Each structure stands twice: as structure tokens, then as C-alpha cells.
Amino acid sequence: MRANTETVADKAGEIAAEVAFAILAVIGVERDGYVVTEGIAVKALAAKSSGLNSSETLMRILNG
């Protein structure tokens, strides 16, 4: 039972981190000099695959 709790907590932490990343990335695209790095692109795609952001958000992140 404890192992399942740790797994759920780990997954919740990952999801929270992805959501926070998506929010920060969207805020960043409004700034001058925003550059999409490979790391940003990978995380944005992972968040989209997980259903944590929309196609519109993904395109805003990738297109700057």
C-alpha cells in the first residue's frame, strides 16, 4: 500500500511541475528575446501529450 502512495505522490509532483512549466513558458513567450530551446520544446510537447496544455498553448510556446 505504501509503495502505491509514493508512486501517486511522485506522479502528482511531476504533473505539478509540468503545469508550472507550462504557465511559465506561456508568460515567457510575451517577452522580447524569448527563445525556444530544445528543453522548452520537449517539456511543452510532454505537457501537451499529458493533456496539461492545449494545442493553442503548445503553438504559442513553440512559435514564441
Side-chain angles (χ1 to χ4, degrees):
M1 180 92 160
R2 184 176 170 112
N4 288 340
T5 302
E6 290 173 351
T7 302
V8 171
D10 290 342
K11 187 62 177 173
E14 291 172 16
I15 291 171
E18 290 176 358
V19 170
F21 168 78
I23 292 167
L24 291 173
V26 170
I27 292 168
V29 300
E30 302 298 326
R31 293 185 168 194
D32 289 337
Y34 173 78
V35 176
V36 181
T37 65
E38 184 177 341
I40 290 172
V42 168
K43 289 181 181 181
L45 290 167
K48 172 65 175 116
S49 294
S50 298
L52 297 172
N53 62 16
S54 66
S55 295
E56 179 182 347
T57 301
L58 175 63
M59 295 310 297
R60 286 182 64 197
I61 293 169
L62 296 179
N63 291 329

Coordinates of all heavy atoms in Angstrom, one line a residue:
M1 N 0.8 -1.2 0.0 CA 0.0 0.0 0.0 C 0.9 1.3 0.0 O 0.6 2.2 -0.7 CB -0.9 0.0 1.2 CG -1.8 1.2 1.3 SD -3.4 0.8 0.5 CE -4.4 2.0 1.2
R2 N 1.9 1.3 0.8 CA 2.8 2.4 0.9 C 3.5 2.7 -0.5 O 3.6 3.9 -0.9 CB 3.8 2.3 2.0 CG 4.7 3.5 2.1 CD 5.6 3.3 3.3 NE 6.6 4.4 3.3 CZ 6.6 5.3 4.2 NH1 5.8 5.3 5.2 NH2 7.5 6.3 4.1
A3 N 3.9 1.7 -1.2 CA 4.5 1.9 -2.5 C 3.6 2.6 -3.4 O 4.0 3.5 -4.2 CB 5.0 0.5 -3.1
N4 N 2.3 2.2 -3.5 CA 1.3 2.9 -4.3 C 1.2 4.4 -4.0 O 1.1 5.2 -4.8 CB 0.0 2.2 -4.3 CG 0.0 0.9 -5.0 OD1 0.8 0.6 -5.8 ND2 -1.0 0.0 -4.6
T5 N 1.2 4.7 -2.7 CA 1.1 6.1 -2.2 C 2.3 6.9 -2.7 O 2.2 8.0 -3.2 CB 1.0 6.1 -0.7 OG1 -0.1 5.4 -0.3 CG2 0.8 7.6 -0.2
E6 N 3.5 6.3 -2.6 CA 4.7 7.0 -3.1 C 4.6 7.2 -4.6 O 5.0 8.3 -5.1 CB 5.9 6.2 -2.7 CG 6.2 6.3 -1.2 CD 7.3 5.4 -0.7 OE1 7.8 4.6 -1.6 OE2 7.7 5.4 0.4
T7 N 4.1 6.3 -5.3 CA 4.0 6.4 -6.7 C 3.1 7.5 -7.1 O 3.3 8.3 -8.0 CB 3.6 5.0 -7.4 OG1 4.6 4.1 -7.0 CG2 3.5 5.1 -8.9
V8 N 1.9 7.5 -6.5 CA 0.9 8.6 -6.7 C 1.5 9.9 -6.4 O 1.3 10.9 -7.1 CB -0.4 8.3 -6.0 CG1 -1.3 9.5 -6.0 CG2 -1.0 7.0 -6.5
A9 N 2.2 10.0 -5.3 CA 2.8 11.3 -4.9 C 3.9 11.8 -5.9 O 3.9 12.9 -6.2 CB 3.4 11.2 -3.5
D10 N 4.7 10.8 -6.3 CA 5.7 11.1 -7.3 C 5.0 11.7 -8.6 O 5.5 12.6 -9.2 CB 6.5 9.9 -7.6 CG 7.5 9.6 -6.5 OD1 7.7 10.4 -5.6 OD2 7.9 8.4 -6.5
K11 N 4.0 11.0 -9.0 CA 3.3 11.4 -10.3 C 2.6 12.8 -10.1 O 2.7 13.6 -11.0 CB 2.2 10.4 -10.6 CG 1.6 10.6 -12.0 CD 2.6 10.6 -13.1 CE 1.9 10.8 -14.4 NZ 2.9 10.9 -15.5
A12 N 2.1 13.0 -8.9 CA 1.4 14.3 -8.7 C 2.5 15.4 -8.7 O 2.2 16.5 -9.3 CB 0.8 14.3 -7.3
G13 N 3.7 15.1 -8.2 CA 4.8 16.1 -8.2 C 5.2 16.4 -9.7 O 5.4 17.5 -10.0
E14 N 5.3 15.4 -10.5 CA 5.6 15.5 -11.9 C 4.6 16.4 -12.6 O 4.9 17.3 -13.4 CB 5.7 14.2 -12.6 CG 6.9 13.3 -12.1 CD 6.9 11.9 -12.7 OE1 6.1 11.7 -13.7 OE2 7.6 11.1 -12.2
I15 N 3.3 16.1 -12.4 CA 2.2 16.8 -13.0 C 2.3 18.3 -12.6 O 2.2 19.2 -13.4 CB 0.9 16.2 -12.7 CG1 0.8 14.9 -13.4 CG2 -0.3 17.1 -13.2 CD1 -0.4 14.0 -13.1
A16 N 2.5 18.5 -11.3 CA 2.5 19.9 -10.8 C 3.7 20.7 -11.5 O 3.6 21.8 -11.9 CB 2.7 19.9 -9.3
A17 N 4.8 20.0 -11.6 CA 6.0 20.6 -12.3 C 5.7 20.9 -13.7 O 6.1 22.0 -14.2 CB 7.2 19.7 -12.1
E18 N 5.0 20.0 -14.4 CA 4.7 20.3 -15.8 C 3.7 21.4 -16.0 O 3.9 22.2 -16.9 CB 4.1 19.0 -16.4 CG 5.2 17.9 -16.6 CD 4.6 16.6 -17.1 OE1 3.4 16.5 -17.4 OE2 5.4 15.7 -17.3
V19 N 2.7 21.5 -15.1 CA 1.8 22.6 -15.1 C 2.5 23.9 -14.9 O 2.3 24.9 -15.6 CB 0.6 22.4 -14.1 CG1 -0.2 23.6 -14.0 CG2 -0.2 21.2 -14.6
A20 N 3.3 24.0 -13.9 CA 4.1 25.2 -13.6 C 5.0 25.6 -14.8 O 5.0 26.7 -15.1 CB 5.0 25.0 -12.3
F21 N 5.6 24.6 -15.4 CA 6.4 24.9 -16.6 C 5.6 25.5 -17.7 O 6.0 26.5 -18.3 CB 7.1 23.6 -17.1 CG 7.7 23.8 -18.4 CD1 8.9 24.5 -18.6 CD2 7.0 23.4 -19.6 CE1 9.4 24.7 -19.8 CE2 7.6 23.6 -20.8 CZ 8.8 24.3 -20.9
A22 N 4.4 24.9 -17.9 CA 3.6 25.4 -19.0 C 3.1 26.9 -18.7 O 3.2 27.7 -19.7 CB 2.3 24.5 -19.1
I23 N 2.8 27.2 -17.5 CA 2.4 28.5 -17.2 C 3.6 29.5 -17.4 O 3.4 30.5 -18.0 CB 1.9 28.6 -15.7 CG1 0.6 27.9 -15.6 CG2 1.7 30.1 -15.3 CD1 0.1 27.6 -14.2
L24 N 4.8 29.1 -16.9 CA 5.9 30.0 -17.0 C 6.3 30.1 -18.5 O 6.7 31.2 -18.9 CB 7.1 29.4 -16.2 CG 6.9 29.5 -14.7 CD1 8.1 28.8 -14.0 CD2 6.8 30.9 -14.3
A25 N 6.2 29.1 -19.3 CA 6.6 29.2 -20.7 C 5.6 30.1 -21.4 O 6.1 30.9 -22.3 CB 6.5 27.8 -21.3
V26 N 4.3 30.1 -21.1 CA 3.4 31.0 -21.8 C 3.7 32.4 -21.4 O 3.6 33.3 -22.2 CB 1.9 30.6 -21.4 CG1 0.9 31.6 -21.9 CG2 1.6 29.2 -22.0
I27 N 4.0 32.6 -20.1 CA 4.3 34.0 -19.7 C 5.6 34.5 -20.5 O 5.7 35.6 -20.9 CB 4.5 34.1 -18.2 CG1 3.2 33.9 -17.5 CG2 5.1 35.4 -17.8 CD1 3.3 33.6 -16.0
G28 N 6.5 33.6 -20.6 CA 7.8 33.9 -21.3 C 7.6 34.3 -22.7 O 8.4 35.1 -23.2
V29 N 6.7 33.7 -23.4 CA 6.5 34.0 -24.8 C 6.1 35.4 -25.1 O 6.3 35.9 -26.2 CB 5.6 33.0 -25.5 CG1 6.0 31.6 -25.4 CG2 4.1 33.2 -25.1
E30 N 5.7 36.1 -24.1 CA 5.2 37.5 -24.3 C 6.4 38.5 -24.2 O 6.3 39.7 -24.4 CB 4.2 37.9 -23.3 CG 2.9 37.0 -23.3 CD 2.2 37.1 -24.6 OE1 2.2 38.2 -25.2 OE2 1.6 36.1 -25.1
R31 N 7.6 38.0 -23.8 CA 8.7 38.8 -23.5 C 9.6 39.0 -24.8 O 9.7 38.0 -25.5 CB 9.6 38.3 -22.4 CG 8.9 38.4 -21.1 CD 9.8 37.9 -20.0 NE 9.2 38.3 -18.7 CZ 9.8 38.3 -17.6 NH1 11.1 37.9 -17.5 NH2 9.2 38.6 -16.5
D32 N 10.2 40.1 -24.9 CA 11.2 40.3 -26.0 C 12.3 39.4 -25.8 O 12.8 39.2 -24.6 CB 11.6 41.8 -26.1 CG 10.6 42.7 -26.6 OD1 9.6 42.3 -27.3 OD2 10.7 43.9 -26.3
G33 N 12.9 38.8 -26.8 CA 14.1 38.0 -26.7 C 13.8 36.5 -26.3 O 14.7 35.8 -26.1
Y34 N 12.5 36.2 -26.2 CA 12.1 34.8 -25.9 C 12.7 33.8 -27.0 O 12.5 34.1 -28.2 CB 10.6 34.6 -25.8 CG 10.1 33.2 -25.6 CD1 10.2 32.6 -24.4 CD2 9.6 32.5 -26.7 CE1 9.7 31.3 -24.2 CE2 9.1 31.2 -26.5 CZ 9.2 30.6 -25.3 OH 8.7 29.3 -25.1
V35 N 13.3 32.8 -26.5 CA 13.9 31.8 -27.5 C 13.5 30.4 -27.0 O 13.6 30.1 -25.9 CB 15.5 31.9 -27.5 CG1 16.1 30.8 -28.4 CG2 15.9 33.3 -27.9
V36 N 13.0 29.7 -28.0 CA 12.5 28.3 -27.7 C 13.8 27.4 -27.8 O 14.4 27.3 -28.8 CB 11.5 27.8 -28.7 CG1 11.1 26.4 -28.4 CG2 10.3 28.8 -28.8
T37 N 14.1 26.9 -26.6 CA 15.3 25.9 -26.6 C 14.7 24.5 -26.8 O 13.5 24.3 -26.7 CB 16.0 26.0 -25.2 OG1 15.1 25.5 -24.2 CG2 16.5 27.4 -24.9
E38 N 15.6 23.6 -27.0 CA 15.2 22.2 -27.2 C 14.5 21.7 -25.9 O 13.5 21.0 -26.0 CB 16.4 21.3 -27.5 CG 16.0 19.9 -27.8 CD 17.2 19.0 -28.1 OE1 18.3 19.5 -28.6 OE2 17.1 17.8 -28.0
G39 N 15.0 22.1 -24.7 CA 14.4 21.7 -23.5 C 13.0 22.2 -23.3 O 12.1 21.5 -22.9
I40 N 12.8 23.5 -23.7 CA 11.5 24.0 -23.6 C 10.5 23.3 -24.5 O 9.4 22.9 -24.2 CB 11.5 25.5 -23.9 CG1 12.1 26.3 -22.8 CG2 10.1 26.0 -24.2 CD1 12.4 27.8 -23.1
A41 N 11.0 23.0 -25.8 CA 10.2 22.3 -26.7 C 9.8 20.9 -26.2 O 8.6 20.5 -26.3 CB 10.9 22.2 -28.1
V42 N 10.7 20.2 -25.7 CA 10.5 18.8 -25.2 C 9.5 18.8 -24.1 O 8.5 18.1 -24.0 CB 11.8 18.1 -24.8 CG1 11.5 16.9 -24.0 CG2 12.7 17.8 -26.0
K43 N 9.7 19.8 -23.1 CA 8.7 19.8 -22.0 C 7.3 20.3 -22.4 O 6.3 19.8 -21.9 CB 9.3 20.8 -20.9 CG 10.5 20.2 -20.2 CD 11.0 21.1 -19.1 CE 12.2 20.5 -18.4 NZ 12.7 21.3 -17.4
A44 N 7.3 21.2 -23.4 CA 6.0 21.7 -23.9 C 5.3 20.5 -24.6 O 4.0 20.3 -24.4 CB 6.2 22.8 -24.8
L45 N 6.0 19.7 -25.4 CA 5.4 18.6 -26.0 C 4.9 17.5 -25.0 O 3.8 16.9 -25.2 CB 6.3 18.0 -27.0 CG 6.6 18.8 -28.3 CD1 7.8 18.3 -29.1 CD2 5.3 18.9 -29.1
A46 N 5.7 17.3 -24.0 CA 5.3 16.3 -22.9 C 4.1 16.8 -22.2 O 3.2 16.0 -21.9 CB 6.5 16.1 -22.0
A47 N 4.0 18.1 -21.9 CA 2.8 18.6 -21.2 C 1.6 18.5 -22.1 O 0.5 18.1 -21.6 CB 3.0 20.0 -20.8
K48 N 1.7 18.7 -23.4 CA 0.6 18.5 -24.3 C 0.2 17.1 -24.4 O -1.0 16.7 -24.4 CB 1.0 19.0 -25.7 CG 0.0 18.7 -26.8 CD -1.3 19.5 -26.6 CE -2.2 19.3 -27.8 NZ -3.4 18.6 -27.4
S49 N 1.2 16.2 -24.5 CA 0.8 14.7 -24.5 C 0.1 14.3 -23.3 O -0.7 13.4 -23.3 CB 2.1 13.9 -24.7 OG 2.7 14.2 -25.9
S50 N 0.4 14.9 -22.1 CA -0.2 14.5 -20.9 C -1.6 15.2 -20.7 O -2.2 15.0 -19.7 CB 0.7 15.0 -19.7 OG 1.9 14.2 -19.8
G51 N -1.9 16.1 -21.6 CA -3.2 16.8 -21.6 C -3.2 18.0 -20.6 O -4.2 18.5 -20.2
L52 N -2.0 18.5 -20.3 CA -1.8 19.6 -19.4 C -1.9 20.9 -20.1 O -2.0 22.0 -19.4 CB -0.5 19.4 -18.6 CG -0.5 18.2 -17.7 CD1 0.9 18.1 -17.1 CD2 -1.5 18.3 -16.6
N53 N -1.8 21.0 -21.4 CA -2.0 22.2 -22.1 C -2.7 22.0 -23.4 O -2.8 20.8 -23.9 CB -0.7 23.0 -22.2 CG 0.4 22.3 -23.0 OD1 0.1 21.4 -23.8 ND2 1.6 22.8 -23.0
S54 N -3.2 23.0 -24.0 CA -3.9 22.9 -25.2 C -3.0 23.0 -26.5 O -1.8 23.3 -26.3 CB -5.0 24.0 -25.3 OG -4.3 25.2 -25.4
S55 N -3.5 22.7 -27.6 CA -2.8 22.8 -28.8 C -2.4 24.3 -29.0 O -1.3 24.6 -29.5 CB -3.6 22.4 -30.0 OG -3.8 21.0 -29.9
E56 N -3.3 25.2 -28.7 CA -3.0 26.6 -28.8 C -1.8 27.0 -27.9 O -0.9 27.8 -28.4 CB -4.2 27.5 -28.4 CG -4.0 29.0 -28.5 CD -5.2 29.8 -28.1 OE1 -6.3 29.2 -28.0 OE2 -5.0 31.0 -27.9
T57 N -1.8 26.6 -26.7 CA -0.7 26.9 -25.8 C 0.6 26.3 -26.3 O 1.6 27.0 -26.3 CB -1.0 26.3 -24.4 OG1 -2.2 26.9 -23.9 CG2 0.1 26.6 -23.4
L58 N 0.5 25.1 -26.8 CA 1.7 24.5 -27.4 C 2.3 25.3 -28.5 O 3.5 25.6 -28.6 CB 1.4 23.0 -27.8 CG 2.6 22.3 -28.6 CD1 3.7 22.1 -27.6 CD2 2.1 21.0 -29.1
M59 N 1.4 25.7 -29.4 CA 1.9 26.5 -30.5 C 2.5 27.9 -30.1 O 3.4 28.3 -30.6 CB 0.8 26.7 -31.5 CG 0.3 25.4 -32.2 SD 1.7 24.4 -32.9 CE 2.3 25.5 -34.1
R60 N 1.9 28.5 -29.1 CA 2.4 29.8 -28.6 C 3.8 29.5 -28.0 O 4.7 30.4 -28.2 CB 1.5 30.3 -27.5 CG 0.2 30.9 -28.1 CD -0.7 31.5 -27.0 NE 0.0 32.6 -26.4 CZ -0.4 33.2 -25.2 NH1 -1.4 32.6 -24.6 NH2 0.2 34.2 -24.7
I61 N 4.0 28.4 -27.3 CA 5.3 28.2 -26.7 C 6.3 27.9 -27.8 O 7.4 28.5 -27.8 CB 5.2 27.0 -25.8 CG1 4.4 27.3 -24.5 CG2 6.6 26.5 -25.3 CD1 4.0 26.1 -23.7
L62 N 6.0 27.1 -28.8 CA 6.9 26.7 -29.8 C 7.2 27.8 -30.8 O 8.3 27.9 -31.3 CB 6.4 25.5 -30.6 CG 6.3 24.2 -29.8 CD1 5.8 23.1 -30.6 CD2 7.6 23.8 -29.1
N63 N 6.2 28.7 -31.1 CA 6.4 29.8 -32.0 C 6.9 31.0 -31.4 O 7.3 32.0 -32.1 CB 5.1 30.1 -32.8 CG 4.7 28.9 -33.7 OD1 5.5 28.2 -34.2 ND2 3.4 28.7 -33.8
G64 N 6.9 31.1 -30.1 CA 7.4 32.3 -29.4 C 6.4 33.4 -29.6 O 6.3 34.4 -29.7

